[in-house]
Amino acid sequence: MRSAILPVQIGGRNGLTFPELWNPAATTKDGMTDIHPEAAIASRVSIGMLRQRGKFVPDGESFAPCVRGTDHPIHKPNNKEDADMGMQGQPLLVTSLIDHAAREHAGREIVTRWADGSMTRSTWGEVGTDARRFAAALTKLGMKKGDRIATLAMNHGHHLVSWYGTAGMGGVLHTVNPRLFDEQLVYIINHAGDRMLFFDAAFLPIVERLRDQLPTVEHFVLFDAPAREGYLSYRDLVEAEDGRFEWVELDENDPVGLCYTSGTTGNPKGVLYEHRSNVIHAITEIQPDVFDLSNRAVVLPIVPMFHANSWGVPYAAATVGAKLVFSATNDAQVLCDLMHDEGVTHSAGVPTVWIAMFAHMDATGIGYGKLRRVIIGGSAAPRAMIERFMRAGIDVGHAWGMTETSPIGTMGKRPWNWDDMSFDEQVDMVCRQGCPPFGVELRIVDDEGSELPRDGRTSGRLQIRGPWIIRRYFRAGEDAVDEGDWFDTGDVSVIHPDGVMQITDRAKDVIKSGGEWISSIELENAAVGAPGVQEAAAVGVYHPKWDERPILLIVKKPGADVGEADILDYLKDKVAKWWLPDEIVFVDELPHTATGKILKRQIRDDYKDYRLKSLAEA
Amino acid sequence: MRSAILPVQIGGRNGLTFPELWNPAATTKDGMTDIHPEAAIASRVSIGMLRQRGKFVPDGESFAPCVRGTDHPIHKPNNKEDADMGMQGQPLLVTSLIDHAAREHAGREIVTRWADGSMTRSTWGEVGTDARRFAAALTKLGMKKGDRIATLAMNHGHHLVSWYGTAGMGGVLHTVNPRLFDEQLVYIINHAGDRMLFFDAAFLPIVERLRDQLPTVEHFVLFDAPAREGYLSYRDLVEAEDGRFEWVELDENDPVGLCYTSGTTGNPKGVLYEHRSNVIHAITEIQPDVFDLSNRAVVLPIVPMFHANSWGVPYAAATVGAKLVFSATNDAQVLCDLMHDEGVTHSAGVPTVWIAMFAHMDATGIGYGKLRRVIIGGSAAPRAMIERFMRAGIDVGHAWGMTETSPIGTMGKRPWNWDDMSFDEQVDMVCRQGCPPFGVELRIVDDEGSELPRDGRTSGRLQIRGPWIIRRYFRAGEDAVDEGDWFDTGDVSVIHPDGVMQITDRAKDVIKSGGEWISSIELENAAVGAPGVQEAAAVGVYHPKWDERPILLIVKKPGADVGEADILDYLKDKVAKWWLPDEIVFVDELPHTATGKILKRQIRDDYKDYRLKSLAEA
């Protein structure tokens, strides 16, 4: 029993009192104490799990050893104190998300535009049924609770079914990023121990090339093509089932998803999501200050489903029955057409996606349709991009997060005095990464781990904690957080007095010059505002006096005529004088990670022996 | 251990493997099985509680009996399987709500307009500090975890502090409705076993009259007046503390609030809210399809804080840092002035409140200011009221719920095709009580408990279940729900094919005529639309042929000239012909419950021997 607020009379079917249930006199010679099954079960139930009556199945492994040899088929925790029984305690489960969507929003559409240009339409009701068919098929193939099921796939309706179907058979859905290098793919799938791999036909060459190196994978399944020698098909599996599968018994702390970080340093690391963390994240995401999703929203998640749960959109949309529009290709024209044809109101993607969209819009003169809110994340959004959306009357949700944070860490703030702010002040505010929603906490610390002030000036390592923040990487053997649950994000930021967080850099990208820090991100963001600049990367190169000095790598817009002096002139009133790069290097392209971020590590490697012209001349 | 998804290697400080931890060979002769403390603790932690490292305190009563005699001061659940360690598992606590608001929205205002007309302004930051001072003061007075602390108070900032302060010392905040009869107040406070009572000076006469009958109450504290003989003062208690109190250790399933139903039948019954249920309810409430609350919202909760948690507003507002505007009086002029002066965007109250507001607005010509969303609940909102708000461009959230449902059960739906609907179709939709947000489930059943179809025609008893729905009344000894967790609401409703629920009546108010059901609510709602009608109540009276026939009690608007024929004429195309009341009875007023609902029970009692004129004439 936990702290009693009533006399410790335990009611229920046998009316035993507490001393009868727990009998200290029954302590055995080896120090074990006897306990009556009723009391043991009561204490277990008081821990708040599996209160769903009629479904409670005692967990033999963890619990039976404590109890006399009975099979105690107790369904009703009636023998608990009233004080602990006020409210129902259904677990927070991903399966409840799809059950809700299928029951309350059965007719709301799920649209897929496939890689071959064909379109299919489904509904939340059909996704609910198909998820049960999917779960039944996997169970028939021998998949069991806790098994990892991998996907190597773009965004589409079958992929969505696999998320919920895997959850419902107790599995862990492992979304694999098909843009990774072969060695990374092999490492990740083996590390996860995936038993099945569902994949798009477009990635058949990858699978054929690697399958011999994937000994744990027992079944390879084509998501979007008929079965062939050595490959099952999604459609065959699902169509053989009737959709009456009962979800397996789940605990809200059971794992349900697995996603590996893109691995800019060392081996990729697996982040294991739980039912509880995903559900709390989903309810959080729909709120007006985060994604602002309602039943009337039509969401086009451009962010891939293999990229940090597509930022949680497939879960959040189910909570409110939003319409989902998927595209299996990330072509700007396709996305623009979908946006217009399907009446998209909300979209989410990394900055590079929007750069491509803008280019397409500029070339064709096409507008935004019904779009009213875009979520930009993955890396900091340039000011010019934010301004363009806002001038078009579109709300910008500038998000910060990472695979380890499910991923919403913060969302750009529209504070209470928003309507009184000038347009420029509003843009300034959105350029910052914003505030954590209820649930997560932020702090910044120095290199010794001491907390730094929220003064808007002091930069420090950004740390985060909360119910949807990682505790431990998959199979890591030790926690990724400190004693206080703080996870070090590897980002460097300030926190303003109003609680607004502003990323200043990645810890490893900071340019350390003369003992001070220069933010490579701020330099880049300033530079991409300059006319003729398409992309920019700032890195530090060796300097004998200052340790490091910044240089800027610039990719020009097609046909742009812009020189070093133009850019330096543009920058001079936008950053501190001593932040101005020592040199501008024009390049044809910049290297990117599989998730579209600029690969700073490679640039640093490429330029690690770079000798500044000013030094060469000296 | 729960189902393992990894080899059962347990890491952590001693590297023991599972067989070493749980040794079947150590089963004792009485059937008990030995288990290593590490494994026991691991299994406990796997149940997902108290993962906050550094704060984990083993619970001796429930747990120690299973473990060898050790004091196992384990702080880090490092000895758990990686598979179960993906995400952090902070408990969902009401104290985290105020911590969040105080940290992230420190400067956002809490405004109180006191009964004497004076105004005070506080902030979420100050409420956070004051809540800690409040908790410290209660702890000094000997209050302990689980103790019930009562309030007999209107809406104001000190009341808000007491909610969070009580939660933070581990207490259970019992909001008592001052409008109840003396016998009910005495019953409730004694049944709850309240140890302290905080009250407004306005209720001093009640307290002086009843205090001798309240033996469990050790301290009586004035919220809004100086101490006097026999009475402490809130201000003295709070001002003696420095605000550095540390919240007590809490489990998310600990009780935190207690509210008694208004008791239209039998003794009032206590509904015991838990930290977890209140927090999930709060996050749910802010979503666009429910209250639609953001950091920019200014909320005037007209619904009293002693009425079903003020519909959760004081919790929900903290999650987003909304500004709260409290009025300690419910005078329409005061409320209208506050609405304008404070820029209120959201308000919530029962229909009778809005009737009074409309009368004031009509008399003065004052408008709605910045109001953009009103939540109407407590009883069904008349169509004319909904229409008036909507014509003024104000969103109406027509809510259904009860004390037992925390209280949000459903919220009027604005479906995905809202913008394509005509104004009348929109009003039709809002007149219905809407859909459950993610988390709760509804069904309708017949008198035998069989589920009825969602066809929009079949009426049945409305049942509900979910994480913020009651399981058991306080000290009831048995659950208030059935095997499947379904709670019978006592309401009668249909569910439409689109999932929209529409209350047709209270089960006990249904008029049973000729074997069919006539909805008293539909009759009343139709009648209040008639010119000159202020309020209406429909009840069934004895009829020898039809068992019951409806009569309508009508309160006319001041000065209105309306007769029986006018009303029957108005109704004739609004309800089925056989629903038309056999008689209209004009009365000066109708009896109301303490929460402002029409007291149908009393009307039924008053009219139980009523003889229809048509029968007298026969």
Side-chain angles (χ1 to χ4, degrees):
Chain A
M1 305 300 105
R2 287 185 289 110
S3 68
I5 73 165
L6 284 176
V8 285
Q9 172 71 42
I10 294 181
R13 58 181 187 181
N14 56 18
L16 292 177
T17 57
F18 187 69
E20 289 173 272
L21 290 173
W22 173 35
N23 182 0
T27 303
T28 57
K29 65 179 187 303
D30 60 359
M32 290 293 287
T33 300
D34 204 339
I35 185 166
H36 189 285
E38 294 278 338
I41 289 157
S43 74
R44 178 180 172 81
V45 176
S46 80
I47 296 169
M49 297 297 308
L50 293 172
R51 279 180 162 179
Q52 284 188 296
R53 304 197 310 169
K55 291 190 173 179
F56 179 69
V57 178
D59 177 340
E61 284 162 310
S62 70
F63 185 64
C66 307
V67 181
R68 281 175 183 282
T70 68
D71 59 351
H72 48 74
I74 304 298
H75 293 290
K76 294 190 221 177
N78 272 342
N79 49 350
K80 290 188 67 265
E81 289 186 62
D82 289 0
D84 193 28
M85 292 289 294
M87 291 284 126
Q88 300 181 20
Q90 285 86 355
L92 301 173
L93 300 177
V94 165
T95 45
S96 304
L97 293 174
I98 187 62
D99 284 347
H100 171 84
R103 186 180 59 242
E104 306 297 339
H105 307 288
R108 194 70 166 131
E109 281 185 317
I110 310 294
V111 179
T112 299
R113 197 269 187 195
W114 297 89
D116 65 4
S118 64
M119 301 276 294
T120 57
R121 291 173 181 277
S122 177
T123 61
W124 278 113
E126 287 165 33
V127 170
T129 305
D130 285 351
R132 287 181 191 266
R133 298 161 89 191
F134 186 95
L138 265 58
T139 302
K140 273 195 192 157
L141 286 170
M143 298 301 117
K144 295 203 160 34
K145 194 168 167 182
D147 285 342
R148 273 80 63 211
I149 308 299
T151 62
L152 193 71
M154 302 302 287
N155 293 5
H156 52 64
H158 295 175
H159 202 172
L160 183 70
V161 167
S162 76
W163 281 33
Y164 286 110
T166 300
M169 54 74 45
V172 177
L173 199 284
H174 173 202
T175 50
V176 182
N177 183 345
R179 297 174 190 152
L180 295 178
F181 298 116
D182 284 2
E183 313 84 75
Q184 291 177 308
L185 291 170
V186 169
Y187 174 86
I188 282 175
I189 293 170
N190 283 318
H191 188 268
D194 298 320
R195 291 190 65 193
M196 293 182 74
L197 174 65
F198 287 79
F199 66 100
D200 291 354
F203 304 126
L204 185 59
I206 300 177
V207 175
E208 296 203 312
R209 195 162 69 229
L210 304 181
R211 65 178 292 169
D212 287 347
Q213 302 171 59
L214 307 174
T216 67
V217 179
E218 299 161 39
H219 305 284
F220 294 86
V221 190
L222 281 153
F223 256 138
D224 55 350
R228 62 178 74 182
E229 178 71 29
Y231 297 99
L232 304 173
S233 101
Y234 166 91
R235 195 169 293 279
D236 291 347
L237 289 182
V238 167
E239 287 182 355
E241 307 299 331
D242 64 10
R244 284 182 296 189
F245 181 82
E246 288 279 321
W247 302 135
V248 306
E249 201 63 44
L250 291 165
D251 174 316
E252 67 181 25
N253 294 112
D254 280 338
V256 67
L258 179 62
C259 185
Y260 282 73
T261 58
S262 46
T264 47
T265 54
N267 275 324
K269 287 179 280 191
V271 179
L272 194 67
Y273 306 102
E274 298 173 358
H275 283 269
R276 174 181 165 111
S277 63
N278 277 355
V279 170
I280 298 177
H281 186 271
I283 313 176
T284 296
E285 190 159 285
I286 57 179
Q287 67 182 266
D289 283 333
V290 184
F291 275 42
D292 194 25
L293 294 181
S294 76
N295 186 225
R296 295 165 301 292
V298 180
V299 192
L300 171 65
I302 303 177
V303 52
M305 293 174 77
F306 53 76
H307 187 176
N309 299 322
S310 196
W311 300 352
V313 169
Y315 296 127
T319 64
V320 294
K323 171 175 167 179
L324 281 175
V325 181
F326 289 120
S327 174
T329 52
N330 272 342
D331 177 73
Q333 181 177 340
V334 167
L335 295 170
C336 264
D337 289 350
L338 273 177
M339 212 162 79
H340 285 265
D341 296 346
E342 300 297 333
V344 169
T345 59
H346 291 65
S347 189
V350 296
T352 47
V353 161
W354 303 117
I355 290 172
M357 291 283 267
F358 287 163
H360 174 73
M361 287 172 160
D362 290 343
T364 60
I366 197 170
Y368 298 91
K370 293 187 175 174
L371 192 66
R372 71 166 186 82
R373 184 160 171 84
V374 293
I375 310 299
I376 311 178
S379 50
R383 183 183 183 91
M385 177 177 290
I386 289 169
E387 220 175 290
R388 176 168 174 161
F389 275 122
M390 287 174 64
R391 284 200 193 283
I394 294 166
D395 288 339
V396 177
H398 191 195
W400 169 85
M402 50 205 305
T403 304
E404 288 88 340
T405 66
S406 293
I408 300 299
T410 64
M411 180 59 76
K413 186 170 186 170
R414 281 181 290 162
W416 62 270
N417 57 340
W418 179 254
D419 290 337
D420 301 328
M421 294 166 78
S422 70
F423 181 78
D424 281 348
E425 286 169 336
Q426 290 180 340
V427 175
D428 285 346
M429 188 55 86
V430 176
C431 282
R432 299 171 180 178
Q433 278 74 17
C435 283
F438 169 73
V440 293
E441 285 176 71
L442 302 179
R443 69 171 187 180
I444 50 173
V445 297
D446 62 21
D447 284 342
E448 282 71 49
S450 301
E451 190 165 353
L452 296 169
R454 296 181 164 217
D455 60 9
R457 295 186 309 272
T458 312
S459 270
R461 301 178 71 91
L462 178 65
Q463 301 190 324
I464 188 169
R465 67 178 176 190
W468 59 86
I469 310 301
I470 191 169
R471 172 177 299 289
R472 177 182 291 200
Y473 290 105
F474 187 54
R475 293 184 160 168
E478 62 180 16
D479 286 357
V481 298
D482 73 8
E483 294 294 311
D485 276 346
W486 291 106
F487 173 72
D488 195 295
T489 64
D491 276 326
V492 173
S493 79
V494 297
I495 300 180
H496 294 270
D498 59 359
V500 169
M501 188 275 287
Q502 184 174 7
I503 296 286
T504 50
D505 216 336
R506 289 292 296 170
K508 58 184 182 298
D509 294 341
V510 156
I511 299 161
K512 292 180 176 170
S513 186
E516 298 285 342
W517 287 4
I518 295 172
S519 162
S520 65
I521 287 178
E522 282 189 43
L523 267 183
E524 290 158 7
N525 281 350
V528 293
V533 171
Q534 175 139 316
E535 238 182 340
V539 291
V541 297
Y542 169 75
H543 191 284
K545 179 173 177 188
W546 306 112
D547 291 335
E548 285 188 348
R549 286 298 301 158
I551 64 169
L552 253 178
L553 278 64
I554 299 284
V555 179
K556 294 183 199 179
K557 282 186 180 158
D561 178 26
V562 58
E564 176 159 14
D566 303 320
I567 291 170
L568 289 174
D569 190 56
Y570 177 83
L571 290 177
K572 71 173 189 296
D573 59 352
K574 297 188 176 58
V575 298
K577 187 154 183 283
W578 64 277
W579 281 32
L580 284 174
D582 281 26
E583 234 167 78
I584 307 277
V585 181
F586 291 97
V587 295
D588 291 337
E589 59 176 358
L590 291 170
H592 290 89
T593 66
T595 53
K597 298 176 193 176
I598 294 173
L599 198 55
K600 296 293 273 295
R601 182 179 49 139
Q602 184 181 325
I603 299 173
R604 271 197 304 274
D605 282 352
D606 292 348
Y607 285 80
K608 72 175 187 297
D609 300 323
Y610 189 78
R611 189 164 167 79
L612 287 166
K613 293 199 191 83
S614 55
L615 299 176
E617 288 156 8
Chain B
M1 305 299 103
R2 289 184 288 109
S3 67
I5 75 166
L6 284 175
V8 284
Q9 171 73 41
I10 294 181
R13 59 182 185 179
N14 57 17
L16 292 176
T17 57
F18 187 69
E20 288 174 272
L21 291 173
W22 173 36
N23 183 358
T27 302
T28 57
K29 63 180 187 302
D30 60 0
M32 289 292 287
T33 302
D34 204 340
I35 184 167
H36 190 285
E38 295 277 338
I41 290 157
S43 74
R44 177 181 172 79
V45 176
S46 80
I47 296 168
M49 298 295 306
L50 292 172
R51 279 179 162 181
Q52 283 187 300
R53 303 198 311 168
K55 292 189 174 181
F56 178 69
V57 178
D59 177 340
E61 286 162 308
S62 72
F63 184 64
C66 307
V67 181
R68 280 177 184 281
T70 69
D71 59 354
H72 48 72
I74 303 300
H75 294 288
K76 294 189 222 175
N78 273 341
N79 48 351
K80 292 187 66 262
E81 288 185 61
D82 290 0
D84 193 27
M85 292 290 293
M87 290 284 127
Q88 300 179 20
Q90 286 85 356
L92 301 173
L93 300 177
V94 165
T95 45
S96 304
L97 294 174
I98 187 61
D99 285 347
H100 172 84
R103 186 179 59 242
E104 306 297 339
H105 307 288
R108 193 71 166 130
E109 280 185 319
I110 310 295
V111 178
T112 299
R113 197 269 188 194
W114 297 90
D116 65 4
S118 64
M119 301 274 295
T120 56
R121 288 171 183 278
S122 176
T123 61
W124 279 112
E126 287 165 33
V127 170
T129 305
D130 285 351
R132 288 182 191 266
R133 297 161 89 191
F134 186 94
L138 265 58
T139 303
K140 275 196 189 155
L141 287 170
M143 298 301 117
K144 295 202 161 33
K145 195 168 167 180
D147 286 341
R148 274 78 64 214
I149 309 297
T151 61
L152 193 70
M154 302 301 288
N155 292 6
H156 52 66
H158 294 175
H159 202 172
L160 183 71
V161 168
S162 76
W163 282 32
Y164 286 110
T166 299
M169 54 75 45
V172 177
L173 200 282
H174 173 203
T175 49
V176 182
N177 183 345
R179 297 174 191 153
L180 296 178
F181 297 116
D182 283 3
E183 312 84 77
Q184 290 176 309
L185 291 171
V186 169
Y187 174 85
I188 283 174
I189 293 171
N190 283 319
H191 188 268
D194 298 319
R195 290 190 65 194
M196 292 182 74
L197 173 65
F198 287 78
F199 66 100
D200 290 354
F203 304 126
L204 186 58
I206 300 178
V207 175
E208 294 203 312
R209 196 162 68 229
L210 303 181
R211 64 179 294 169
D212 287 348
Q213 302 171 60
L214 307 174
T216 67
V217 179
E218 299 161 38
H219 305 284
F220 294 86
V221 191
L222 282 153
F223 256 137
D224 55 350
R228 62 177 76 182
E229 179 70 29
Y231 298 99
L232 304 174
S233 101
Y234 166 90
R235 197 171 291 279
D236 292 346
L237 289 181
V238 167
E239 287 182 355
E241 307 298 330
D242 64 10
R244 285 182 298 188
F245 181 83
E246 290 278 320
W247 303 135
V248 306
E249 200 62 43
L250 292 164
D251 175 316
E252 68 180 25
N253 294 112
D254 281 337
V256 68
L258 179 62
C259 186
Y260 282 74
T261 58
S262 45
T264 47
T265 54
N267 276 323
K269 287 179 280 191
V271 179
L272 193 67
Y273 306 102
E274 297 173 0
H275 284 269
R276 175 181 165 112
S277 64
N278 276 354
V279 169
I280 298 176
H281 186 271
I283 314 176
T284 297
E285 190 160 285
I286 57 180
Q287 68 182 266
D289 282 335
V290 184
F291 274 42
D292 194 24
L293 294 182
S294 76
N295 186 224
R296 295 166 300 294
V298 179
V299 192
L300 171 65
I302 303 178
V303 53
M305 292 174 78
F306 54 76
H307 187 177
N309 300 321
S310 196
W311 300 351
V313 169
Y315 297 127
T319 64
V320 294
K323 172 176 166 178
L324 280 176
V325 181
F326 289 121
S327 175
T329 51
N330 272 341
D331 177 75
Q333 181 177 339
V334 167
L335 295 170
C336 264
D337 288 350
L338 272 176
M339 213 162 80
H340 285 266
D341 295 346
E342 300 297 334
V344 168
T345 58
H346 292 65
S347 189
V350 295
T352 47
V353 161
W354 303 117
I355 290 172
M357 292 282 267
F358 287 163
H360 175 73
M361 287 172 160
D362 290 342
T364 59
I366 198 171
Y368 298 91
K370 294 186 175 174
L371 193 66
R372 72 166 186 81
R373 183 160 172 84
V374 293
I375 309 300
I376 311 179
S379 50
R383 184 184 182 90
M385 179 177 291
I386 290 170
E387 221 174 290
R388 175 166 174 162
F389 275 122
M390 288 174 64
R391 285 200 193 283
I394 294 166
D395 288 340
V396 177
H398 191 195
W400 169 85
M402 50 204 307
T403 305
E404 289 89 340
T405 65
S406 293
I408 300 299
T410 64
M411 180 60 76
K413 187 169 185 169
R414 281 181 290 162
W416 61 271
N417 57 339
W418 179 255
D419 290 338
D420 301 328
M421 293 166 79
S422 69
F423 181 78
D424 281 347
E425 286 169 336
Q426 290 181 339
V427 175
D428 285 346
M429 187 56 85
V430 175
C431 284
R432 298 173 180 177
Q433 280 72 17
C435 283
F438 169 74
V440 292
E441 285 177 71
L442 302 178
R443 69 171 188 180
I444 49 173
V445 299
D446 62 21
D447 284 340
E448 282 71 48
S450 301
E451 190 165 353
L452 296 169
R454 296 180 164 218
D455 59 11
R457 295 187 309 272
T458 311
S459 269
R461 302 178 68 90
L462 179 65
Q463 301 189 324
I464 187 169
R465 67 179 176 190
W468 60 85
I469 310 303
I470 192 169
R471 172 176 297 289
R472 176 181 292 200
Y473 290 105
F474 187 55
R475 293 183 158 169
E478 62 179 16
D479 287 357
V481 298
D482 73 8
E483 293 295 311
D485 276 345
W486 292 105
F487 172 73
D488 194 296
T489 64
D491 277 325
V492 172
S493 80
V494 298
I495 300 180
H496 293 269
D498 59 359
V500 169
M501 187 274 287
Q502 184 174 8
I503 296 287
T504 51
D505 217 336
R506 289 292 296 170
K508 59 184 180 300
D509 295 340
V510 156
I511 298 162
K512 293 180 176 172
S513 187
E516 297 286 340
W517 288 2
I518 295 173
S519 163
S520 64
I521 288 179
E522 282 188 45
L523 267 184
E524 291 158 7
N525 282 349
V528 294
V533 172
Q534 175 140 315
E535 240 182 335
V539 291
V541 296
Y542 169 75
H543 192 284
K545 178 171 179 192
W546 306 111
D547 290 334
E548 285 188 346
R549 285 298 301 158
I551 63 169
L552 253 179
L553 278 63
I554 298 284
V555 179
K556 295 183 198 178
K557 281 186 181 160
D561 178 27
V562 58
E564 176 159 14
D566 302 320
I567 291 170
L568 289 174
D569 190 57
Y570 177 84
L571 290 176
K572 71 175 191 297
D573 59 352
K574 297 188 176 59
V575 299
K577 188 155 182 284
W578 64 277
W579 281 32
L580 283 174
D582 280 25
E583 233 166 81
I584 307 278
V585 181
F586 290 97
V587 293
D588 290 338
E589 59 177 358
L590 292 169
H592 289 90
T593 67
T595 53
K597 297 176 191 172
I598 294 175
L599 197 54
K600 295 292 273 291
R601 182 180 47 140
Q602 185 182 324
I603 299 173
R604 272 197 305 273
D605 282 352
D606 292 347
Y607 286 81
K608 71 177 189 295
D609 299 322
Y610 190 79
R611 187 161 168 80
L612 288 165
K613 294 199 191 84
S614 55
L615 299 177
E617 289 154 7

